[in-house]
Amino acid sequence: MHRLNNKRILVGITGGIAAYKSAEMVRHLIKAGAEVHVIMTSAACEFITPLTMQALSGNIVHTSMLDPKAEAGMGHIELAKWADAVLIAPASADFIARMAAGMGDDLLATMCLVTQAPIYLGPAMNQGMWMDAATQHNCEVLRSRGVTLFGPDKGFQACGDVGPGRMLDPLTLVEMLAEQFSTGALAGRNVVITAGPTQEAIDPVRYISNHSSGKMGFALAKAAAEAGASVRLISGPVHLPTPDRVERIDVTSARDMHAAAMQQTSDSDIFISCAAVADFRPETVAEIKIKKDPDSPNEGMTVSLVRNPDIVASVAAKEDRPFVVGFAAETGNVIEYAKDKRKRKNLDLIVANDVSDTSIGFNSDDNAVTLIGADIEEPLPKCSKRQLAGQLIEMIAQFYSQSQEQQSQAETTQHTEESA
């Protein structure tokens, strides 16, 4: 159930006696840590009141596309974009038919046309309606479009019939929904991630930087948030939108990023250093733009460089350090250099990345890496950075959990020895 932590669930309720079960379903969603908005059809309002659902969800209930108060709070288009998932339960035979036909004749049907979030239906109807050829055809149409059906269940029905068509138990529906999300392995954890390049000023208009796009770091931030973590993203200058539910801290130089990282990791559980930080900066920065000497057209310019602070090593050296993951962007001897970097900087894990391959290097949408630890060397094949980020976050969460268990065991052993 922790997989639903921080998830945004749009609950749809259609007309049917099973609508009373939706109240318990929403209660379970809230208890699991989800944020819930509810849409009710006019028929649903005949079985259970919007006020009940508002009290349980903590949000105004949406019943009409033409409600100016609801639109002022969260417009129906924004509501469709807001959701991580749409769960419609009970889903009546009538609604399933209208949805299969692509109709947009009420707010809930319109949401299904607009949203890009996955849609899950909990059918609830008389057993004869469920087994009717038209209903079965409509369900197959929706399945072909990527809609998932949870149930229905079999058993005694309110009309007196016995057979398939009952809405699943509310808790079962919530558990099935939770299974659709990532493991929630970082639920309740604080994660700090650095991303993008840094810019080291030469004068007011020139700087030293690199080709990092920030895509990998931003993908990791999104994946960590989806895994239930509270995420702070320290980003160098990039042109990327902030991932949903991620706190972004913009910086420019390596020293700016170092200061932000030291501050933000004071209460973090995991630190992932994904930024491509400039190792050096100009020793001095000109106050005005440096001009070419017109009398010496062939004259060059010498820039004296000094070393920047090592961000990941500084965090790893903190007394109350988080679990530290570094990145090694190399163009040759990738694995060897990464292993050496991990040991020298006292990192828990390091991700080795061959940036000489232009198909997976800077600015690419794809990547292929090797995750390296004290007892692991795990290649992760080429895939999209979004997919790769999900894999890395799951593995990082696993190793973090193992390190916490080892630390706890060591503290228990020490306490026992001191008490002996």
Side-chain angles (χ1 to χ4, degrees):
M1 295 284 281
H2 59 278
R3 299 185 185 198
L4 291 171
N5 188 57
N6 289 337
K7 297 298 183 292
R8 294 170 172 173
I9 309 301
L10 182 57
V11 169
I13 306 174
T14 70
I17 188 60
Y20 79 91
K21 296 182 180 180
S22 300
E24 185 180 356
M25 184 178 72
V26 168
R27 185 176 65 83
H28 285 305
L29 287 168
I30 296 296
K31 187 176 180 180
E35 183 178 355
V36 178
H37 274 272
V38 177
I39 296 177
M40 298 178 66
T41 66
S42 58
C45 295
E46 298 295 325
F47 291 91
I48 187 169
T49 68
L51 184 59
T52 297
M53 305 311 299
Q54 179 175 320
L56 290 169
S57 69
N59 289 308
I60 187 171
V61 173
H62 307 264
T63 58
S64 171
M65 287 188 293
L66 305 178
D67 184 349
K69 292 182 179 179
E71 288 296 297
M74 180 179 283
H76 65 281
I77 300 299
E78 286 73 22
L79 193 63
K81 295 178 180 178
W82 169 88
D84 292 318
V86 177
L87 175 59
I88 303 173
S92 66
D94 173 73
F95 183 80
I96 289 173
R98 289 189 290 118
M99 186 177 174
M103 298 180 69
D105 54 346
D106 66 10
L107 179 58
L108 185 56
T110 303
M111 288 299 100
C112 293
L113 292 175
V114 174
T115 189
Q116 296 298 308
I119 300 174
Y120 305 94
L121 302 181
M125 65 197 73
N126 170 268
Q127 57 89 22
M129 298 172 72
W130 170 253
M131 292 189 294
D132 185 80
T135 301
Q136 292 302 307
H137 171 74
N138 291 333
C139 289
E140 286 304 315
V141 169
L142 294 177
R143 288 190 184 99
S144 71
R145 296 175 186 164
V147 176
T148 301
L149 272 65
F150 293 156
D153 201 357
K154 297 179 181 179
F156 180 80
Q157 299 181 326
C159 61
D161 286 356
V162 177
R166 286 171 54 89
M167 176 174 146
L168 290 175
D169 178 78
L171 181 57
T172 300
L173 284 169
V174 173
E175 289 174 342
M176 293 176 73
L177 179 65
E179 289 298 318
Q180 310 305 309
F181 289 99
S182 64
T183 63
L186 293 179
R189 301 301 180 185
N190 294 319
V191 177
V192 176
I193 300 174
T194 63
T198 62
Q199 294 178 354
E200 311 302 325
I202 297 174
D203 61 23
V205 298
R206 301 181 180 91
Y207 57 81
I208 298 171
S209 191
N210 57 62
H211 296 293
S212 175
S213 65
K215 291 178 180 178
M216 191 70 241
F218 275 61
L220 285 167
K222 179 177 175 61
E226 289 176 348
S230 296
V231 182
R232 282 165 282 179
L233 176 63
I234 304 171
S235 175
V238 297
H239 301 288
L240 295 172
T242 305
D244 199 17
R245 282 158 290 179
V246 169
E247 179 185 349
R248 179 170 173 174
I249 301 154
D250 288 311
V251 297
T252 301
S253 70
R255 285 182 289 180
D256 295 337
M257 186 172 284
H258 180 269
M262 296 301 285
Q263 178 183 8
Q264 296 300 324
T265 53
S266 60
D267 62 347
S268 67
D269 299 298
I270 299 173
F271 175 63
I272 303 176
S273 179
C274 189
V277 183
D279 292 327
F280 297 91
R281 69 180 186 275
E283 185 174 18
T284 58
V285 179
E287 295 183 359
I288 60 174
K289 180 182 177 181
I290 300 172
K291 295 288 188 179
K292 292 182 291 186
D293 186 349
D295 297 327
S296 304
N298 296 321
E299 183 181 358
M301 181 179 72
T302 299
V303 178
S304 179
L305 301 176
V306 294
R307 188 180 293 274
N308 270 321
D310 191 317
I311 297 172
V312 70
S314 297
V315 173
K318 294 177 74 170
E319 183 175 350
D320 190 16
R321 71 194 287 278
F323 186 84
V324 181
V325 182
F327 269 68
E330 303 290 349
T331 57
N333 296 321
V334 177
I335 302 300
E336 291 77 9
Y337 285 141
K339 288 181 177 179
D340 176 67
K341 180 177 180 179
R342 190 193 72 81
K343 291 180 180 179
R344 282 189 294 105
K345 300 190 178 186
N346 191 33
L347 311 183
D348 296 288
L349 295 171
I350 195 164
V351 181
N353 185 18
D354 184 358
V355 294
S356 67
D357 185 344
T358 57
S359 68
I360 59 172
F362 291 133
N363 293 304
S364 172
D365 290 326
D366 298 325
N367 208 348
V369 301
T370 300
L371 183 64
I372 299 171
D375 302 310
I376 181 177
E377 184 177 322
E378 182 73 26
L380 299 178
K382 179 180 177 181
C383 60
S384 72
K385 287 181 176 178
R386 180 173 181 177
Q387 291 175 302
L388 181 61
Q391 296 177 47
L392 283 171
I393 288 298
E394 291 297 319
M395 296 178 75
I396 290 169
Q398 177 184 348
F399 283 101
Y400 167 76
S401 179
Q402 292 176 1
S403 74
Q404 292 297 104
E405 292 177 4
Q406 292 170 358
Q407 181 178 344
S408 177
Q409 292 173 359
E411 290 174 352
T412 300
T413 301
Q414 181 180 358
H415 178 72
T416 302
E417 291 175 349
E418 291 175 350
S419 301

